[in-house]
Amino acid sequence: MSTNTSNNTQNVFQEIISHCKEYGFIFPSSEIYDGLSAIYDYGPYGIELKNNIQQYWWKAMVQLHENIVGIDAAIFMHPNTWKASGHVDAFNDPLIDNKDSKKRYRADVLIEEAIQKQEAKIDKEVDKAQKKFGDTFDKEMFLKTNPNVLRVKEKIGGIEARFKKALEENNLEELKQIIVDLEIVCPISGTRNWTEVRQFNLMFSTEVGSVAEDASVIYLRPETAQGIFVNFLNVLNTSRQRIPFGIAQVGKAFRNEIVARQFIFRTREFEQMEMQFFVRPGEEMKWYEYWKEARMKWHRSLGFGANKLKWHDHLKPAHYANAAVDIEFEFPFGFKEMEGIHSRTDYDLTQHQNLSGKKLQYFDHELDKSYVPYVIETSVGLNRTFLALICNGYKIEKLEDGSERTVLALPPFLAPVQIAIFPLIKKDGLPEKSREIMDVLKWDFKCFYEEKDTIGKRYRRMDALGTPYCITIDHQTLQDNTVTIRERDSMKQERISIEKLKEVVNEKIDWRAGLR
Ligand code: GAP
């Protein structure tokens, strides 16, 4: 058995998108009206996978931490929320248009991609040298001494320094100049005919109120975090928590993204899983490091190989943060942010305290004083995690008999269907026996019953959906109460007694293993 490793990653990504539609994971929104750009709906298997990811995050963050509690705040919030948080003034992206293709880009993303291209040159040099020198290759030494690598590193350093300064000073002319100097071309028109860089606020607004004159503008929340900050006192007063403690939330967020492509990677409506951890001022770096490790462990527990995940330190942390790092996953279109971890200082609580006039402080009995707590935030995209799992699990395998199968190797505890139940044929009492088994197992597992088609076809369909276990009921079952259980990845089949099924599957789909 060999894995098809097509180099054409763009084609693979298109295949993944088609797979998601064909197998009922994701559909374009309002498709009968030709869809709506950068908005998607989740189908019967998509919603199961999305719910499972969300629940797994909730278990890891809330159930396993005595000092983290959850909330579910409304999407609409008082408009002052967004004044205080800085989103009205500063939640902008720098835009640039190509005059020939009329396509719009984020200026910062164009520059980041140019930096990534330079970094890829270093990786290429390393690969070349590794092949040449084999086991004797000293990567660290090579990176420190190879003249080609040093030249590229110097170039990257120069671009990054200019880029960081331009972002810090909000210098839009300089951003444009960097794009010009790096000779960045529009991927559509292939030209360098750029407009000036402009700022664009990403919040969607709408109106509340029954008549136009009375209506006032409110925003659809661009992050779930603010629902946590404005509820800080409510939670503190009702949950018996003491610092350090966290508040977690999962919910929709909305951003009028300029560059909304790459399927569900960047959409205008999406879901975040966020946790704000309130700590003593001065202790924030200790907790920042703690949450960095804890969150990386969570991502690894999803079955992503070590080389699929990496850290990306922010050159310019957002307006509210004094330290920030992303966990990036290698999607088919490159390493991209999946989660952001921010040390948000006391920025948000102080801002809300100032604008609302309510004291958002904590009395620390040990220190015998009140203060505005500092905050470490972990914020991961639910949809991006979904996409990473699909990209990581999707493969086309060539089998020994020359045929191919499509497999979605999802972690068993997240799979939309955990057990498929198949009577070998549609008669002789096998469907009835299968239903009996289904009626027992469905209380503990997400099961799927199927009696149509050959057993081989039924297995293939379940492989493509990511179902980790298929149970087949045959004539022997009626005699000795045993079934065959087939494992998705190895395709191995084993005969076990019906009484043992629950115990065996439970052990195989245990969600706890990766978090211990
Ligand atoms: N409260 C902090 C915050 O919102 P962020 O880095 O802007 O930080 C956090 O967003 C996470 O939300 C990202 O790492 C990403 O996974 C997800 N996310 C952000 N914008 C998104 C979009 N337009 N579509 C899908 N996911 C998005």
Side-chain angles (χ1 to χ4, degrees):
M1 180 163 62
S2 73
T3 303
N4 176 356
T5 50
S6 162
N7 282 332
N8 194 336
T9 49
Q10 196 49 41
N11 283 352
V12 172
F13 193 47
Q14 282 311 318
E15 272 177 34
I16 289 172
I17 295 171
S18 307
H19 188 86
C20 282
K21 172 131 195 263
E22 187 183 342
Y23 284 90
F25 284 93
I26 297 173
F27 310 126
S29 158
S30 14
E31 198 184 6
I32 58 168
Y33 296 106
D34 295 334
L36 188 59
S37 170
I39 315 272
Y40 290 91
D41 297 341
Y42 287 74
Y45 298 105
I47 179 63
E48 295 289 345
L49 175 57
K50 189 154 72 70
N51 281 346
N52 291 347
I53 300 168
Q54 176 176 337
Q55 281 158 17
Y56 180 59
W57 181 86
W58 196 263
K59 280 178 181 162
M61 301 299 278
V62 181
Q63 187 174 325
L64 295 185
H65 289 93
E66 279 175 47
N67 59 350
I68 299 183
V69 292
I71 61 161
D72 182 23
I75 287 171
F76 289 126
M77 301 179 68
H78 193 285
N80 280 350
T81 307
W82 308 110
K83 275 195 200 131
S85 68
H87 283 80
V88 172
D89 292 327
F91 195 52
N92 300 319
D93 274 346
L95 283 187
I96 190 164
D97 292 355
N98 181 269
K99 291 182 196 164
D100 298 317
S101 68
K102 310 272 182 272
K103 284 278 164 202
R104 183 161 286 179
Y105 299 91
R106 269 176 60 177
D108 55 336
V109 171
L110 287 180
I111 297 169
E112 271 165 12
E113 284 172 354
I115 293 173
Q116 278 167 8
K117 274 192 191 148
Q118 295 297 325
E119 284 168 348
K121 283 186 188 167
I122 297 181
D123 293 343
K124 233 181 179 170
E125 290 289 340
V126 170
D127 283 351
K128 242 174 32 194
Q130 203 144 26
K131 276 194 193 120
K132 192 168 157 194
F133 298 113
D135 288 346
T136 58
F137 180 59
D138 182 344
K139 185 173 168 186
E140 219 170 291
M141 183 59 79
F142 181 80
L143 287 173
K144 274 192 207 145
T145 54
N146 179 273
N148 288 344
V149 170
L150 293 180
R151 208 173 322 112
V152 179
K153 270 189 176 172
E154 195 184 331
K155 188 168 177 188
I156 294 174
I159 304 169
E160 281 186 342
R162 274 181 78 186
F163 183 37
K164 183 170 187 254
K165 190 160 181 280
L167 290 175
E168 273 167 4
E169 293 169 357
N170 202 12
N171 186 342
L172 303 183
E173 287 88 36
E174 173 66 353
L175 282 182
K176 159 94 188 265
Q177 197 53 48
I178 298 173
I179 289 172
V180 171
D181 293 348
L182 294 180
E183 302 183 344
I184 295 174
V185 295
C186 164
I188 309 286
S189 66
T191 71
R192 296 184 213 144
N193 195 6
W194 297 109
T195 61
E196 296 309 309
V197 177
R198 302 180 310 287
Q199 291 288 22
F200 175 81
N201 193 289
L202 298 182
M203 282 197 294
F204 282 105
S205 61
T206 185
E207 290 174 351
V208 276
S210 51
V211 278
E213 303 86 72
D214 293 341
S216 56
V217 171
I218 57 167
Y219 299 101
L220 274 76
R221 67 180 177 199
E223 62 171 11
T224 57
Q226 298 305 323
I228 294 178
F229 293 125
V230 300
N231 275 299
F232 170 72
L233 278 188
N234 286 334
V235 175
L236 183 66
N237 292 337
T238 54
S239 65
R240 306 195 62 73
Q241 290 292 340
R242 292 283 164 263
I243 269 176
F245 78 96
I247 306 178
Q249 175 169 221
V250 180
K252 293 255 183 183
F254 302 83
R255 295 181 190 178
N256 198 0
E257 297 283 1
I258 305 151
V259 187
R261 11 183 170 89
Q262 291 155 332
F263 194 36
I264 56 165
F265 177 78
R266 193 183 303 284
T267 49
R268 297 195 167 107
E269 174 177 342
F270 56 98
E271 278 165 274
Q272 292 184 314
M273 304 186 285
E274 298 202 300
M275 192 276 301
Q276 313 296 325
F277 199 69
F278 300 91
V279 304
R280 272 185 192 159
E283 293 192 353
E284 69 273 19
M285 281 306 142
K286 178 179 94 184
W287 289 108
Y288 178 64
E289 292 305 325
Y290 172 88
W291 282 109
K292 273 175 69 176
E293 287 316 308
R295 294 304 304 147
M296 187 55 110
K297 188 173 173 189
W298 186 84
H299 287 282
R300 291 208 183 103
S301 76
L302 299 178
F304 303 139
N307 58 350
K308 282 272 172 191
L309 294 167
K310 72 174 188 190
W311 298 109
H312 172 80
D313 277 305
H314 282 217
L315 284 176
K316 184 204 167 207
H319 60 272
Y320 48 74
N322 67 358
V325 69
D326 294 337
I327 295 176
E328 293 190 337
F329 173 79
E330 190 179 25
F331 291 95
F333 40 86
F335 272 100
K336 299 278 174 203
E337 173 185 348
M338 189 144 64
E339 168 148 4
I341 298 160
H342 295 100
S343 170
R344 289 184 81 125
T345 66
D346 58 355
Y347 176 85
D348 301 88
L349 288 179
T350 304
Q351 289 288 104
H352 288 303
Q353 179 169 268
N354 292 344
L355 200 61
S356 68
K358 307 277 174 352
K359 240 182 167 192
L360 300 182
Q361 299 197 355
Y362 174 79
F363 182 74
D364 192 321
H365 287 274
E366 270 177 48
L367 301 181
D368 197 25
K369 67 172 187 182
S370 292
Y371 52 79
V372 177
Y374 271 46
V375 172
I376 304 302
E377 170 185 73
T378 72
S379 173
V380 58
L382 176 51
N383 320 76
R384 276 189 198 176
T385 309
F386 183 114
L387 183 60
L389 281 161
I390 298 265
C391 292
N392 194 55
Y394 179 84
K395 46 189 174 184
I396 294 173
E397 286 180 351
K398 262 211 156 38
L399 305 178
E400 272 156 16
D401 65 3
S403 65
E404 279 187 345
R405 70 164 186 155
T406 304
V407 192
L408 203 53
L410 296 170
F413 59 90
L414 296 180
V417 175
Q418 290 163 326
I419 307 177
I421 298 172
F422 302 150
L424 186 64
I425 52 171
K426 258 197 279 185
K427 53 183 186 180
D428 301 340
L430 300 186
E432 291 76 7
K433 185 71 185 168
S434 304
R435 289 276 180 208
E436 251 177 52
I437 296 174
M438 173 108 176
D439 281 344
V440 174
L441 293 181
K442 73 181 181 193
W443 294 89
D444 295 289
F445 310 103
K446 182 83 178 83
C447 299
F448 178 85
Y449 177 84
E450 172 92 273
E451 56 184 31
K452 271 199 292 214
D453 289 331
T454 63
I455 202 83
K457 271 195 186 156
R458 283 181 265 168
Y459 282 154
R460 290 289 170 274
R461 186 170 160 73
M462 285 301 124
D463 289 343
L465 272 181
T467 306
Y469 301 104
C470 295
I471 292 168
T472 304
I473 289 86
D474 56 18
H475 293 93
Q476 191 181 328
T477 310
L478 303 179
Q479 288 158 14
D480 64 5
N481 244 11
T482 62
V483 293
T484 54
I485 180 164
R486 173 194 181 265
E487 205 257 337
R488 176 195 65 204
D489 298 339
S490 64
M491 294 190 289
K492 284 209 177 100
Q493 300 190 22
E494 206 189 324
R495 203 144 192 120
I496 60 171
S497 79
I498 291 173
E499 291 89 76
K500 280 193 128 184
L501 262 179
K502 201 168 134 184
E503 187 192 327
V504 168
V505 179
N506 243 336
E507 200 178 303
K508 288 177 192 280
I509 65 163
D510 187 3
W511 62 272
R512 296 167 297 189
L515 294 177
R516 282 214 163 105

